[in-house]
Amino acid sequence: MANKPRVGIFDFTGCEGCELNQLNFEDQLLDILEHVEIVEWREAMDGRAESLDIAFVEGALSTPDCIKRIHEIRRKSKVLVALGACAVQGGINALKNIRPIEQVREEVYGQDKYLFPTLPALPLSAVVKVDVNIRGCPMTQLEFLKVFTALVMGKAPVEPGNAVCTECKLKDNECVYEKGMICLGPVTRAGCDAQCPTFGQYCTGCRGLVPEPNVEAMEEILVAHGLSMDDARKKLQMFNANQLEGVS
Amino acid sequence: MARFYLENGKVAAFIGHLQQQKTVYAPHRKGRNAFAFAPVDRPQDVVLDYPRTVSSIKRYFLPPREELLSFNLVENTCEQPVVAPLDAVFLGVHSYDVHAVLKLDHNFVSGNPERNYLTRRQGALIVGVGFTPDRFHFSGSVGVPAGDTTGCDLFLHPCEGGYALEALTPDGEGLVAGFPLPAHTAGLPAAAPFHQHIYVPQAKLKDVLAHGYDSEVWEEEAEKCTSCGTCNLVCPTCYCFDVEDAVDITVTRGSRERRWDGCLLRSFTEVAGGEVFREEPAARQRHRVFRKFKYISDETGEPWCVGCGRCTASCTAGISIVSIVNRLVNDHDAVKA
Ligand code: SF4
Ligand code: SF4
Ligand code: SF4
Ligand code: SF4
């Protein structure tokens, strides 16, 4: 390829688990670098780039500075990709949004709270236009590569819209409800190959809600399987506090 | 044809005898309370007395994920993978799942014959087994009693101390040959009763469904439904699929994959340009039920549901196809009475 796409990798509020996951690509990292030129990446290099073809952005927006930076990144990037649950939905950071912000600041920073301005934790899409989502906490290598190859070819990546249950059923899994557990698979976006139920765990909803989720039905299912309505709500809020409030 | 007595103590040895002839697929325990068909490794792991498997043996003829072709973008070539007849024995299949395979045969022979499915189907022998209906089975209402042997080469009728092994085809007799068994001379035990029923035959359901097209039941059930698609994906007579192309990291090679899909899923009804042609979950639920009892049935005269109860047993929202249909029957009768 004559002109390799210029790529930048950025992080906001999150654990950097998604980026680190990229570094773990070991066997594929060289193949990836065949196709693109990484020109900006705080974790692995110094300096800033003027313009980018693709920006991969991890983490939620949670301070005034984040808002400023994401606008800068958006301005200089042709394609902006949100990486992982924090960037796509706000992630578990958004749990703070369900409590008064002053209380949250005080609990975390005590009397120094005025030194640390904070905002509700927002998904990137609440502030700028996001072109592609790579979901999950953390995102999976498989999905990253799928999106990456599509972008390199100049195609629009396909974002999974079905529920996690579909992948469970393709694998002939025992539904964890059969074992007396609960699961958010019925309203959570597929694409992880139902990895949690496959290992006997329940889906916590890390990949976000399906398009047009029937949240009331999901709550009823959780209640019918023994949760209080309050606990049902909390389970759903873990990764989707923003979506449940209509922020996306 | 002949009927033999296979006592419980000889079942494992009999499975071993089958294994010497062909690959054997049979139900195994999966997880804590579930069962699934899998190739037999150790005969003692096979479970012949089970309520239902997560999905049916359909998955061996129409795999949940299947590569349809692989391609090379640089050389501009593509290749279809070789598909071969399965040449296997399916052991311990319930009567409704055999009927479901026969229905799929019909679907895949009609119109454009489905090459991959029909090729795999060749040479597959079926050893049926009776079952005790649980609270979800209702195959008796759609013409498939627990002891129905249609489509089987051999059938294991549960009886005192073991099974009455009935040979139904020359292929079935061939499978037993060389495994000495005494004749079974006693009568077959009466079939256990069903606990779920659809109260009217298909001939009447035709009108019942037509009458129920605008029923409130669709919206009522949709309120409880998450559109998770499970009811489609576990159904032994559902055969819809999606196709997706993907390239690998070389960006020069890739493959086209087909995987199961279903009409309850919103994305199933989403077409190019983002248009969703069956937007309402209620309309999608109605479509599923009409696919089982009206659209194909009006052509064939048979229900296209085999009464396995999987859709209901595995719906986390507890939506029951029998309740929906019986509700439509009642509504119909109330008006026509
Ligand atoms: S385990 Fe969860 S994801 Fe899997 S089928 Fe059950 S509810 Fe759906
Ligand atoms: S099963 Fe659920 S929690 Fe687990 S990876 Fe998938 S979406 Fe996330
Ligand atoms: S399994 Fe139940 S909740 Fe899921 S789509 Fe079917 S009817 Fe709806
Ligand atoms: S509609 Fe339900 S009961 Fe009927 S064959 Fe399909 S899964 Fe079984």
Side-chain angles (χ1 to χ4, degrees):
Chain A
M1 225 172 287
N3 275 326
K4 291 185 183 179
R6 291 158 55 82
V7 165
I9 300 168
F10 305 88
D11 55 281
F12 288 93
T13 308
C15 66
E16 301 190 3
C18 292
E19 273 194 44
L20 288 173
N21 218 341
Q22 284 183 41
L23 283 170
N24 274 343
F25 275 30
E26 286 155 8
D27 42 338
Q28 272 121 357
L29 195 58
L30 286 178
D31 292 319
I32 290 174
L33 291 173
E34 280 278 299
H35 304 294
V36 295
E37 189 189 347
I38 299 182
V39 293
E40 186 171 345
W41 188 1
R42 186 183 63 84
E43 255 185 68
M45 60 201 282
D46 296 325
R48 291 201 171 183
E50 286 295 304
S51 69
L52 297 169
D53 292 300
I54 310 171
F56 289 103
V57 186
E58 180 210 34
L61 308 174
S62 66
T63 66
D65 184 54
C66 294
I67 309 280
K68 205 172 120 231
R69 277 177 59 219
I70 191 66
H71 277 299
E72 273 166 28
I73 295 166
R74 177 70 269 190
R75 227 173 282 130
K76 68 181 179 184
S77 311
K78 287 194 188 126
V79 176
L80 193 151
V81 184
L83 280 196
C86 297
V88 178
Q89 302 118 259
I92 45 176
N93 309 293
L95 278 177
K96 83 169 189 188
N97 305 359
I98 58 183
R99 299 201 298 153
I101 197 111
E102 281 311 308
Q103 190 186 331
V104 173
R105 277 174 88 187
E106 215 162 289
E107 256 173 51
V108 177
Y109 300 113
Q111 56 185 9
D112 292 334
K113 69 174 184 176
Y114 295 104
L115 301 175
F116 300 97
T118 186
L119 299 171
L122 295 174
L124 307 183
S125 57
V127 178
V128 295
K129 178 171 173 282
V130 171
D131 302 296
V132 184
N133 292 312
I134 303 182
R135 292 165 181 272
C137 179
M139 66 164 185
T140 64
Q141 299 186 2
L142 191 76
E143 199 170 13
F144 179 85
L145 289 175
K146 232 174 130 178
V147 169
F148 179 84
T149 47
L151 290 177
V152 168
M153 292 179 72
K155 292 195 344 179
V158 182
E159 186 171 18
N162 289 343
V164 174
C165 295
T166 58
E167 292 177 334
C168 237
K169 293 306 164 202
L170 259 52
K171 293 168 90 174
D172 233 5
N173 283 346
E174 173 180 42
C175 177
V176 303
Y177 278 94
E178 294 280 329
K179 303 194 288 186
M181 293 164 71
I182 59 94
C183 182
L184 300 186
V187 290
T188 303
R189 284 213 198 222
C192 57
D193 214 16
Q195 48 177 319
C196 299
T198 302
F199 290 103
Q201 294 303 314
Y202 71 93
C203 170
T204 55
C206 83
R207 295 177 51 83
L209 299 171
V210 292
E212 305 197 4
N214 189 344
V215 175
E216 291 78 23
M218 187 70 246
E219 286 170 343
E220 287 303 329
I221 291 168
L222 295 174
V223 169
H225 289 84
L227 263 56
S228 68
M229 191 46 109
D230 201 40
D231 285 346
R233 196 77 192 169
K234 280 188 186 142
K235 285 267 183 256
L236 281 158
Q237 277 170 334
M238 169 115 142
F239 279 102
N240 295 292
N242 276 320
Q243 280 62 41
L244 293 170
E245 296 304 322
V247 179
S248 57
Chain B
M1 278 193 182
R3 208 159 79 205
F4 309 96
Y5 179 57
L6 177 66
E7 62 183 275
N8 284 330
K10 283 190 192 161
V11 170
F14 180 65
I15 297 174
H17 177 72
L18 297 177
Q19 279 179 297
Q20 283 169 10
Q21 304 171 64
K22 285 171 189 286
T23 306
V24 181
Y25 295 91
H28 291 68
R29 194 167 271 283
K30 180 151 190 190
R32 198 179 300 165
N33 299 319
F35 299 89
F37 274 89
V40 178
D41 179 19
R42 305 183 319 157
Q44 63 267 38
D45 294 339
V46 171
V47 184
L48 289 176
D49 184 11
Y50 64 99
R52 63 178 59 66
T53 47
V54 177
S55 65
S56 74
I57 56 172
K58 169 183 89 175
R59 65 169 44 240
Y60 292 99
F61 311 125
L62 183 72
R65 291 171 180 273
E66 170 177 17
E67 185 183 289
L68 292 182
L69 51 87
S70 55
F71 50 81
N72 187 311
L73 297 169
V74 178
E75 288 160 16
N76 207 16
T77 52
C78 73
E79 227 177 291
Q80 288 184 325
V82 182
V83 175
L86 266 181
D87 193 30
V89 178
F90 289 87
L91 168 71
V93 187
H94 288 172
S95 55
Y96 50 78
D97 276 348
V98 183
H99 275 260
V101 169
L102 300 178
K103 291 191 190 303
L104 288 180
D105 290 350
H106 172 88
N107 291 129
F108 285 139
V109 171
S110 328
N112 249 338
E114 218 299 311
R115 189 185 63 111
N116 290 9
Y117 172 95
L118 294 172
T119 306
R120 291 198 186 91
R121 241 324 244 132
Q122 286 166 30
L125 302 184
I126 298 182
V127 182
V129 70
F131 64 95
T132 311
D134 70 2
R135 65 196 173 100
F136 296 113
H137 291 111
F138 61 97
S139 62
S141 305
V142 287
V144 189
D148 189 288
T149 60
T150 312
C152 296
D153 297 288
L154 289 173
F155 198 92
L156 294 159
H157 300 273
C159 66
E160 189 64 38
Y163 297 92
L165 174 62
E166 187 180 359
L168 296 146
T169 65
D171 280 335
E173 284 191 321
L175 286 176
V176 187
F179 193 82
L181 284 173
H184 182 271
T185 45
L188 293 175
F194 284 88
H195 312 291
Q196 281 270 343
H197 306 273
I198 289 176
Y199 287 106
V200 301
Q202 181 59 43
K204 182 170 172 188
L205 283 183
K206 187 182 162 134
D207 297 331
V208 166
L209 266 78
H211 176 262
Y213 190 83
D214 291 318
S215 164
E216 284 159 8
V217 76
W218 309 118
E219 189 48 50
E220 286 168 23
E221 298 295 331
E223 278 173 21
K224 298 184 266 173
C225 169
T226 58
S227 298
C228 70
T230 288
C231 47
N232 293 131
L233 297 174
V234 296
C235 178
T237 66
C238 274
Y239 52 80
C240 288
F241 55 80
D242 191 14
V243 174
E244 191 181 327
D245 290 353
V247 291
D248 69 15
I249 186 66
T250 62
V251 192
T252 58
R253 293 184 303 251
S255 64
R256 172 164 299 174
E257 184 188 72
R258 164 162 81 181
R259 54 177 180 263
W260 292 354
D261 203 348
C263 56
L264 259 290
L265 294 160
R266 186 176 183 277
S267 68
F268 178 81
T269 67
E270 188 173 347
V271 292
E275 169 75 11
V276 176
F277 61 80
R278 216 175 283 120
E279 177 76 68
E280 294 303 320
R284 301 204 288 270
Q285 188 67 257
R286 174 176 61 204
H287 184 77
R288 174 174 81 98
V289 177
F290 273 59
R291 289 288 295 177
K292 299 302 161 194
F293 294 102
K294 178 124 182 95
Y295 298 143
I296 309 179
S297 306
D298 282 357
E299 272 171 41
T300 62
E302 289 174 25
W304 228 243
C305 159
V306 293
C308 69
R310 284 188 180 91
C311 53
T312 306
S314 47
C315 174
T316 52
I319 293 170
S320 154
I321 194 161
V322 171
S323 304
I324 293 177
V325 172
N326 282 340
R327 157 85 182 272
L328 295 176
V329 172
N330 288 340
D331 290 354
H332 172 267
D333 290 355
V335 173
K336 305 278 153 150

